[in-house]
Amino acid sequence: QVQLVESGGGLVQAGGSLRLSCAASGSIFSINAMGWYRQAPGKQRELVAAITSGGSTNYADSVKGRFTISRDNAKNTVYLQMNSLKPEDTAVYYCNADIEYTTSGAMGITTLWYDYWGQGTQVTVSS
């Protein structure tokens, strides 16, 4: 009923830039925090950046000053602008969103919260 679709990954040389997008669609009532995580081979998934519905942001120390997270609430979309990319940024990047969605049942139409994930997009930075 709700989907997160990511785009914008790819192969880039060190020092280059990429912009990731993640659009949420479906029976969405509201969205709280949205964020980007990444997982490199053999490593745990880690938070890269997050943004609240009010625009407050949080970044991993390793990307501060290089990455910028933003969102368009009207489009239910979150972005990650990645500059000065390094080989160690290579990973699968996942979009995450805390979404209140509508559902119908015996009590009529209600809303529920769920933590959704995108399918992931590969970012590869060559040295």
Side-chain angles (χ1 to χ4, degrees), residues 65-84:
R66 300 188 298 121
F67 291 9
T68 302
I69 190 170
S70 61
R71 64 190 282 174
D72 184 333
N73 291 329
K75 295 182 179 179
N76 292 333
T77 299
V78 62
Y79 306 96
L80 185 67
Q81 178 66 44
M82 305 185 293
N83 298 329
S84 302

Side-chain angles (χ1 to χ4, degrees), residues 13-53:
Q13 288 188 333
S17 298
L18 283 174
R19 188 189 193 213
L20 305 183
S21 299
C22 172
S25 63
S27 304
I28 297 170
F29 186 78
S30 67
I31 302 178
N32 192 6
M34 303 183 81
W36 290 94
Y37 289 71
R38 67 186 181 187
Q39 188 167 19
K43 294 187 177 181
Q44 289 188 331
R45 190 174 296 189
E46 62 175 358
L47 174 68
V48 176
I51 185 168
T52 66
S53 57

Side-chain angles (χ1 to χ4, degrees), residues 4 33 37 95-101 112-118:
L4 298 183
Y37 289 71
C95 173
N96 173 264
D98 192 21
I99 296 176
E100 184 179 19
Y101 66 96
L112 295 170
W113 285 94
Y114 192 78
D115 196 40
Y116 286 91
W117 291 89

